[in-house]
Amino acid sequence: MWDETQLRDAFRDEIDGPAPAVRTQLSDIMPRGLRRRRIRQVSAVAVAVVAVVGVGVMADTLGGKNMSVNEPAKPTLATTQQPANAAWPQADASAQKPYGTWSPGVTAPLPPGRPLVTVPLCDIKSPPDVVGKNPAPEYRTRLQSALTTVAKPAKVGPLTSAEAYAYTADITDAGGVGSLRLTAAEFADTPMHAADRQNFVVGNCAPPKRTVQPDGTVLQVYPMEVGEPYQILLMTLRIYRPSGIVYVLTAYSMGSPDVRPDPRSPGTVERIGKGRDTLPLTEAQLADLGTAVADIG
Amino acid sequence: VARFDEEFAEFLAARFDKARRMAYAMCGDWTEAEELAQNGFVRLYSHWPRVAGQNPDGYLRMILTRLFLDTKRRGRKREHLVAELPERAVRGDVSYDDRQPLVAALQLLPPRQRAVLVLRIVQDLSIEQAAQAMRCSQGTVKSQTARGLIALREAYEQVMASSESA
């Protein structure tokens, strides 16, 4: 069996065996492929325009102002809400080159009327966290209070745990129900090293925006992500504490009405609803929230 | 354009099922495999005028491998919203199609080892070709293959033991 040729034959026997009928047709492929091609062509034109404009901007900024180099394409929000930006500088790291843009999967298409959000995709450069740290009750209490203040006029529900090691609170406004999720993990070295190592942990192209507190706590907020199903939107803030704990706060475009406990896998939830079109918090609100809880834990 | 479209249609008809089965070997799920293959062909079509005359098979393999690894790294927030995906699949309660113990065992390996074994063993690619598809060094392919084979043997024994005790 473990001779490579025998192994190959055995594998092929299994893989080439009976399978469900192919559902995909040419008409499923070509329109999406054509759209990707057009987006790429438009992007190429946009890059050229930006380059021309950039020459003019550089002429103005060479007088001594700071310049951002390797700034990647910003996510294009087709929705009415544009994130209000956090007033933090970007971490000192070169942007990654996108390998493509996100598009919805065939089995979880956009709900009717939901505009497509175009976000560049880049490699995930860091290992994920080792999960298993339960945020202390004190931390959750402070977070609940700060979230209620920061999210106003949105209504904030209680921070509850339907998943192992994760706490979630609904955030409801006119756009629907979104949520904020809290997890925590441990890291072994300094907050700055850990933050540097995880600059691209969510597959972001631009480096995160960062601020450092006097006690060495590093906060960084990442560009908005988009994913499956139904074009879920996410934005993450990570708080690296000198105690060796990283708190991860993630705003989601879905809330408790969109999930239910998964009976097949205790400790996890199953997605049933299609969520809202926008994030429930802006980048600036997420940054304010992080700042409010940055001194604990 | 029509000529390119005709060529692409022929290529799709000839290769889609093969691509889907390659994706299935990596992910162990026919629905996900169909989606990976479909997304792979969408990307291939968007570059078709450029790659048609070169090596579309190699390009498709590279796209599929990257799509698979990317999906796994992003945690595929589709059915289960867990805090973070572990690099290793959870062992113990293994359920699988008992006609496919090798595919089942492969699913117990980390995604990169799965990908490298599918490329090297199932697809019979050279180290250089596999490195190109995974966009990593040839040394990485060699080490991942060696570790993957050891892990696959352990996983296979686990699957067979689980089968016998069931």
Short mmCIF file of all heavy atoms in Angstrom, two decimals, chain A residues 231-266:
data_model
loop_
_atom_site.label_atom_id
_atom_site.label_comp_id
_atom_site.label_asym_id
_atom_site.label_seq_id
_atom_site.Cartn_x
_atom_site.Cartn_y
_atom_site.Cartn_z
N GLN A 231 -22.11 36.96 1.46
CA GLN A 231 -21.30 38.17 1.53
C GLN A 231 -21.29 38.75 2.95
O GLN A 231 -21.70 39.87 3.21
CB GLN A 231 -21.79 39.22 0.53
CG GLN A 231 -20.86 40.40 0.39
CD GLN A 231 -21.35 41.37 -0.66
OE1 GLN A 231 -20.97 41.26 -1.80
NE2 GLN A 231 -22.20 42.29 -0.29
N ILE A 232 -20.87 37.95 3.87
CA ILE A 232 -20.74 38.43 5.25
C ILE A 232 -19.59 39.44 5.31
O ILE A 232 -18.56 39.26 4.66
CB ILE A 232 -20.50 37.25 6.21
CG1 ILE A 232 -20.50 37.74 7.65
CG2 ILE A 232 -19.21 36.53 5.91
CD1 ILE A 232 -20.37 36.61 8.65
N LEU A 233 -19.78 40.52 6.05
CA LEU A 233 -18.73 41.52 6.24
C LEU A 233 -18.17 41.40 7.64
O LEU A 233 -18.92 41.15 8.59
CB LEU A 233 -19.29 42.93 6.03
CG LEU A 233 -20.02 43.19 4.71
CD1 LEU A 233 -20.57 44.62 4.69
CD2 LEU A 233 -19.11 42.96 3.52
N LEU A 234 -16.87 41.60 7.79
CA LEU A 234 -16.23 41.52 9.09
C LEU A 234 -15.20 42.63 9.21
O LEU A 234 -14.59 43.01 8.21
CB LEU A 234 -15.44 40.22 9.27
CG LEU A 234 -16.04 38.84 9.13
CD1 LEU A 234 -16.14 38.42 7.69
CD2 LEU A 234 -15.18 37.86 9.87
N MET A 235 -15.02 43.13 10.40
CA MET A 235 -13.89 44.03 10.66
C MET A 235 -13.34 43.68 12.04
O MET A 235 -14.09 43.53 13.00
CB MET A 235 -14.32 45.49 10.60
CG MET A 235 -13.12 46.42 10.65
SD MET A 235 -13.61 48.14 10.60
CE MET A 235 -13.99 48.35 8.89
N THR A 236 -12.03 43.54 12.11
CA THR A 236 -11.39 43.01 13.32
C THR A 236 -10.45 44.01 13.96
O THR A 236 -9.70 44.69 13.27
CB THR A 236 -10.59 41.73 12.97
OG1 THR A 236 -11.49 40.78 12.40
CG2 THR A 236 -9.92 41.13 14.19
N LEU A 237 -10.53 44.07 15.27
CA LEU A 237 -9.57 44.84 16.08
C LEU A 237 -8.88 43.86 17.00
O LEU A 237 -9.54 43.06 17.66
CB LEU A 237 -10.31 45.90 16.91
CG LEU A 237 -9.45 46.64 17.93
CD1 LEU A 237 -8.72 47.80 17.28
CD2 LEU A 237 -10.29 47.17 19.08
N ARG A 238 -7.57 43.93 17.07
CA ARG A 238 -6.83 43.04 17.97
C ARG A 238 -6.08 43.89 19.01
O ARG A 238 -5.45 44.88 18.64
CB ARG A 238 -5.86 42.16 17.18
CG ARG A 238 -6.56 41.30 16.14
CD ARG A 238 -5.55 40.54 15.28
NE ARG A 238 -4.90 39.48 16.01
CZ ARG A 238 -5.36 38.24 16.10
NH1 ARG A 238 -6.46 37.90 15.47
NH2 ARG A 238 -4.71 37.33 16.78
N ILE A 239 -6.18 43.47 20.26
CA ILE A 239 -5.55 44.21 21.36
C ILE A 239 -4.53 43.29 22.01
O ILE A 239 -4.89 42.29 22.65
CB ILE A 239 -6.60 44.64 22.40
CG1 ILE A 239 -7.72 45.45 21.72
CG2 ILE A 239 -5.95 45.45 23.52
CD1 ILE A 239 -8.94 45.65 22.61
N TYR A 240 -3.25 43.62 21.84
CA TYR A 240 -2.16 42.79 22.39
C TYR A 240 -1.73 43.40 23.71
O TYR A 240 -1.17 44.49 23.75
CB TYR A 240 -0.98 42.76 21.42
CG TYR A 240 -1.32 42.16 20.08
CD1 TYR A 240 -1.85 42.94 19.07
CD2 TYR A 240 -1.12 40.81 19.83
CE1 TYR A 240 -2.17 42.40 17.83
CE2 TYR A 240 -1.43 40.26 18.60
CZ TYR A 240 -1.95 41.06 17.61
OH TYR A 240 -2.28 40.52 16.39
N ARG A 241 -2.01 42.69 24.82
CA ARG A 241 -1.71 43.22 26.15
C ARG A 241 -0.34 42.74 26.63
O ARG A 241 0.11 41.63 26.27
CB ARG A 241 -2.78 42.72 27.13
CG ARG A 241 -4.16 43.30 26.86
CD ARG A 241 -4.27 44.71 27.41
NE ARG A 241 -4.16 44.68 28.86
CZ ARG A 241 -3.58 45.66 29.59
NH1 ARG A 241 -3.05 46.71 28.99
NH2 ARG A 241 -3.53 45.56 30.90
N PRO A 242 0.33 43.54 27.47
CA PRO A 242 1.63 43.10 28.02
C PRO A 242 1.51 41.81 28.82
O PRO A 242 2.50 41.11 29.03
CB PRO A 242 2.03 44.27 28.93
CG PRO A 242 1.28 45.45 28.41
CD PRO A 242 -0.01 44.92 27.88
N SER A 243 0.32 41.45 29.26
CA SER A 243 0.13 40.21 30.01
C SER A 243 0.26 38.97 29.12
O SER A 243 0.24 37.84 29.62
CB SER A 243 -1.26 40.20 30.64
OG SER A 243 -2.26 40.27 29.63
N GLY A 244 0.37 39.17 27.79
CA GLY A 244 0.49 38.02 26.88
C GLY A 244 -0.85 37.52 26.36
O GLY A 244 -0.93 36.41 25.83
N ILE A 245 -1.87 38.31 26.53
CA ILE A 245 -3.19 37.93 26.00
C ILE A 245 -3.55 38.87 24.86
O ILE A 245 -3.34 40.09 24.97
CB ILE A 245 -4.29 38.01 27.09
CG1 ILE A 245 -3.95 37.05 28.23
CG2 ILE A 245 -5.65 37.67 26.51
CD1 ILE A 245 -4.93 37.13 29.39
N VAL A 246 -4.07 38.30 23.78
CA VAL A 246 -4.60 39.14 22.70
C VAL A 246 -6.11 38.99 22.71
O VAL A 246 -6.65 37.88 22.71
CB VAL A 246 -3.99 38.78 21.33
CG1 VAL A 246 -4.14 37.30 20.99
CG2 VAL A 246 -4.64 39.60 20.21
N TYR A 247 -6.79 40.13 22.81
CA TYR A 247 -8.26 40.15 22.73
C TYR A 247 -8.64 40.51 21.29
O TYR A 247 -8.08 41.46 20.72
CB TYR A 247 -8.84 41.18 23.70
CG TYR A 247 -8.61 40.79 25.14
CD1 TYR A 247 -7.55 41.31 25.86
CD2 TYR A 247 -9.46 39.88 25.77
CE1 TYR A 247 -7.32 40.93 27.18
CE2 TYR A 247 -9.24 39.50 27.09
CZ TYR A 247 -8.18 40.02 27.78
OH TYR A 247 -7.96 39.64 29.09
N VAL A 248 -9.55 39.75 20.75
CA VAL A 248 -9.95 39.95 19.35
C VAL A 248 -11.42 40.37 19.33
O VAL A 248 -12.30 39.61 19.76
CB VAL A 248 -9.75 38.66 18.53
CG1 VAL A 248 -10.07 38.92 17.06
CG2 VAL A 248 -8.33 38.14 18.69
N LEU A 249 -11.67 41.58 18.85
CA LEU A 249 -13.04 42.09 18.75
C LEU A 249 -13.38 42.16 17.26
O LEU A 249 -12.69 42.82 16.50
CB LEU A 249 -13.15 43.49 19.35
CG LEU A 249 -12.68 43.66 20.79
CD1 LEU A 249 -12.82 45.12 21.23
CD2 LEU A 249 -13.48 42.76 21.72
N THR A 250 -14.44 41.47 16.87
CA THR A 250 -14.80 41.44 15.45
C THR A 250 -16.24 41.89 15.26
O THR A 250 -17.15 41.33 15.89
CB THR A 250 -14.63 40.02 14.88
OG1 THR A 250 -13.31 39.56 15.16
CG2 THR A 250 -14.84 40.01 13.36
N ALA A 251 -16.43 42.90 14.43
CA ALA A 251 -17.79 43.33 14.08
C ALA A 251 -18.25 42.50 12.89
O ALA A 251 -17.51 42.32 11.92
CB ALA A 251 -17.79 44.81 13.73
N TYR A 252 -19.46 41.99 12.96
CA TYR A 252 -20.02 41.13 11.92
C TYR A 252 -21.30 41.75 11.35
O TYR A 252 -22.07 42.36 12.10
CB TYR A 252 -20.43 39.76 12.48
CG TYR A 252 -19.31 38.78 12.67
CD1 TYR A 252 -18.58 38.76 13.85
CD2 TYR A 252 -19.01 37.85 11.69
CE1 TYR A 252 -17.57 37.84 14.04
CE2 TYR A 252 -18.00 36.93 11.87
CZ TYR A 252 -17.29 36.92 13.05
OH TYR A 252 -16.29 36.02 13.23
N SER A 253 -21.56 41.48 10.08
CA SER A 253 -22.82 41.95 9.48
C SER A 253 -23.91 40.90 9.67
O SER A 253 -24.75 40.70 8.79
CB SER A 253 -22.61 42.22 7.99
OG SER A 253 -22.27 41.02 7.32
N MET A 254 -23.88 40.20 10.76
CA MET A 254 -24.92 39.23 11.09
C MET A 254 -25.05 39.16 12.61
O MET A 254 -24.11 39.53 13.32
CB MET A 254 -24.60 37.84 10.55
CG MET A 254 -23.21 37.35 10.92
SD MET A 254 -22.98 35.62 10.67
CE MET A 254 -23.24 35.05 12.32
N GLY A 255 -26.19 38.73 13.07
CA GLY A 255 -26.40 38.66 14.50
C GLY A 255 -27.08 37.38 14.92
O GLY A 255 -27.17 36.43 14.13
N SER A 256 -27.58 37.36 16.15
CA SER A 256 -28.15 36.12 16.68
C SER A 256 -29.34 35.59 15.87
O SER A 256 -29.52 34.37 15.81
CB SER A 256 -28.53 36.29 18.15
OG SER A 256 -29.54 37.27 18.27
N PRO A 257 -30.16 36.44 15.23
CA PRO A 257 -31.25 35.85 14.43
C PRO A 257 -30.73 35.04 13.24
O PRO A 257 -31.49 34.26 12.66
CB PRO A 257 -32.03 37.08 13.92
CG PRO A 257 -31.65 38.19 14.83
CD PRO A 257 -30.26 37.91 15.26
N ASP A 258 -29.45 35.22 12.90
CA ASP A 258 -28.91 34.54 11.72
C ASP A 258 -28.22 33.22 12.02
O ASP A 258 -27.72 32.56 11.11
CB ASP A 258 -27.92 35.47 11.00
CG ASP A 258 -28.56 36.76 10.58
OD1 ASP A 258 -29.63 36.70 9.96
OD2 ASP A 258 -28.01 37.84 10.90
N VAL A 259 -28.12 32.87 13.31
CA VAL A 259 -27.44 31.61 13.65
C VAL A 259 -28.26 30.82 14.67
O VAL A 259 -29.14 31.37 15.33
CB VAL A 259 -26.02 31.85 14.24
CG1 VAL A 259 -25.10 32.46 13.22
CG2 VAL A 259 -26.09 32.71 15.49
N ARG A 260 -27.93 29.55 14.78
CA ARG A 260 -28.53 28.73 15.85
C ARG A 260 -27.48 27.68 16.24
O ARG A 260 -26.60 27.35 15.42
CB ARG A 260 -29.81 28.06 15.35
CG ARG A 260 -29.57 27.01 14.29
CD ARG A 260 -30.86 26.38 13.82
NE ARG A 260 -30.58 25.46 12.70
CZ ARG A 260 -31.49 25.06 11.84
NH1 ARG A 260 -32.73 25.47 11.92
NH2 ARG A 260 -31.17 24.23 10.86
N PRO A 261 -27.56 27.16 17.45
CA PRO A 261 -26.59 26.13 17.85
C PRO A 261 -26.64 24.95 16.89
O PRO A 261 -27.72 24.54 16.46
CB PRO A 261 -27.06 25.72 19.25
CG PRO A 261 -27.84 26.89 19.74
CD PRO A 261 -28.49 27.51 18.53
N ASP A 262 -25.48 24.45 16.54
CA ASP A 262 -25.41 23.34 15.59
C ASP A 262 -25.47 22.02 16.34
O ASP A 262 -24.53 21.68 17.06
CB ASP A 262 -24.10 23.44 14.80
CG ASP A 262 -24.02 22.40 13.70
OD1 ASP A 262 -24.87 21.48 13.68
OD2 ASP A 262 -23.12 22.50 12.86
N PRO A 263 -26.55 21.27 16.19
CA PRO A 263 -26.67 20.02 16.95
C PRO A 263 -25.62 18.99 16.55
O PRO A 263 -25.28 18.10 17.32
CB PRO A 263 -28.08 19.52 16.60
CG PRO A 263 -28.44 20.21 15.33
CD PRO A 263 -27.69 21.51 15.31
N ARG A 264 -25.06 19.13 15.33
CA ARG A 264 -24.07 18.15 14.87
C ARG A 264 -22.70 18.40 15.48
O ARG A 264 -21.83 17.56 15.45
CB ARG A 264 -23.93 18.22 13.34
CG ARG A 264 -25.17 17.80 12.60
CD ARG A 264 -25.05 18.20 11.15
NE ARG A 264 -24.82 19.63 11.04
CZ ARG A 264 -24.65 20.27 9.89
NH1 ARG A 264 -24.64 19.60 8.77
NH2 ARG A 264 -24.46 21.56 9.86
N SER A 265 -22.50 19.62 15.98
CA SER A 265 -21.18 19.96 16.48
C SER A 265 -21.33 20.88 17.69
O SER A 265 -21.31 22.10 17.57
CB SER A 265 -20.39 20.65 15.36
OG SER A 265 -19.14 21.02 15.82
N PRO A 266 -21.49 20.30 18.89
CA PRO A 266 -21.70 21.11 20.09
C PRO A 266 -20.60 22.15 20.26
O PRO A 266 -19.43 21.87 20.03
CB PRO A 266 -21.67 20.08 21.21
CG PRO A 266 -22.05 18.79 20.56
CD PRO A 266 -21.49 18.87 19.16
#
